Amino acid sequence: MNVKGMTYSLIEGQDEKQVYWIEKGESVQIGQTYETIRLEKTSHQSILVREQELVSEKIGNRTIRLTMDAESYAPLEFVEYQEGVQTVHALYRTDEVVITRGNEQSVLPIRKKSVDLFSIELLLRVLPLAVDSTLSFSGFSAVSGREVPIQVQPLRYDLLMTESGEHLETLCVHVAFGERVQYYWIDPVKRELLKQSSQIADGVSLEFRR
């Protein structure tokens, strides 16, 4: 995906969200996420690093680290740890990705300008989103090893109450990862992601709230 020249500047920083399991109308907090986004510079490249730690007894502890080119948002490297053990390592190249799981390694072809699925929350903060517009691009899941078509569709403005009790006007965005759908609520002024919701089973949803 070529986004150079069409994005807002990304704000580095830290974020914490509460994780809720919603079943049959009942909402129960089951964990937290802690996230850091920072910019690193080498002699020839500026790199964005997104790190997220999920802490939850119900759905497990997980840490993900994604690095990407700071100008094009092209993925460079993806690493996942579950319960402190590395489960997936993906090294991106121009038209292929090298994935390592334990002692097994595979090399898979990918489309040029594909984005890593873990970067979508970051991209939603920098892309110029407008109600009734649609953005489509190709994504790749390092966890499943599959390419996934992504469609981003801003739906409407919603008044959202944050975990601190503050009411904010947000942009509600529908994102389809193939047949899987997630909803995001974004502060259009500060370009911050305040809420994420997805259905993970019949009658069961998972929400991340700030």
Side-chain angles (χ1 to χ4, degrees):
M1 181 184 185
N2 187 6
V3 297
K4 188 174 182 179
M6 61 175 286
T7 61
Y8 293 87
S9 298
L10 182 70
I11 300 174
E12 299 175 77
Q14 298 179 331
D15 186 35
E16 178 179 338
K17 289 186 175 67
Q18 311 307 311
V19 184
Y20 289 88
W21 182 278
I22 303 171
E23 186 171 4
K24 297 179 179 179
E26 183 178 353
S27 179
V28 179
Q29 184 179 343
I30 61 167
Q32 299 85 28
T33 60
Y34 306 92
E35 182 170 326
T36 301
I37 296 176
R38 65 180 185 275
L39 180 67
E40 297 180 354
K41 293 188 177 182
T42 68
S43 59
H44 64 282
Q45 189 177 28
S46 295
I47 298 172
L48 278 172
V49 182
R50 181 189 181 199
E51 292 181 326
Q52 185 189 78
E53 179 185 10
L54 167 66
V55 180
S56 174
E57 291 185 3
K58 187 175 181 67
I59 59 177
N61 300 320
R62 183 190 68 191
T63 301
I64 293 178
R65 183 178 188 269
L66 175 68
T67 59
M68 64 198 87
D69 184 277
E71 291 190 5
S72 66
Y73 297 99
L76 302 173
E77 184 182 39
F78 173 98
V79 187
E80 179 192 67
Y81 297 87
Q82 293 188 15
E83 305 296 343
V85 178
Q86 182 176 302
T87 51
V88 180
H89 176 271
L91 185 63
Y92 286 92
R93 296 170 179 166
T94 303
D95 55 2
E96 65 181 20
V97 56
V98 181
I99 299 179
T100 303
R101 293 184 177 86
N103 297 322
E104 297 183 359
Q105 188 176 90
S106 57
V107 180
L108 302 175
I110 59 171
R111 297 175 188 270
K112 292 183 178 180
K113 300 180 182 177
S114 289
V115 301
D116 186 282
L117 259 60
F118 189 63
S119 68
I120 187 64
E121 287 87 1
L122 186 152
L123 290 171
L124 290 176
R125 295 176 56 199
V126 301
L127 289 171
L129 302 176
V131 174
D132 294 331
S133 65
T134 300
L135 293 173
S136 300
F137 44 93
S138 177
F140 183 84
S141 169
V143 175
S144 69
R146 297 178 180 177
E147 285 193 291
V148 180
I150 301 174
Q151 188 174 75
V152 177
Q153 183 179 10
L155 299 178
R156 62 185 179 274
Y157 285 93
D158 285 344
L159 190 62
L160 180 72
M161 186 173 72
T162 66
E163 290 291 278
S164 64
E166 185 179 6
H167 289 83
L168 295 173
E169 185 179 70
T170 61
L171 180 62
C172 177
V173 183
H174 171 284
V175 180
F177 302 88
E179 296 183 355
R180 182 171 61 91
V181 173
Q182 294 195 44
Y183 293 89
Y184 298 86
W185 285 260
I186 303 166
D187 183 331
V189 177
K190 296 182 178 180
R191 313 296 301 181
E192 294 177 343
L193 181 60
L194 301 179
K195 181 180 173 181
Q196 172 185 341
S197 178
S198 60
Q199 184 174 332
I200 60 174
D202 288 342
V204 180
S205 296
L206 198 63
E207 289 191 356
F208 297 78
R209 306 174 187 168
R210 185 173 178 182

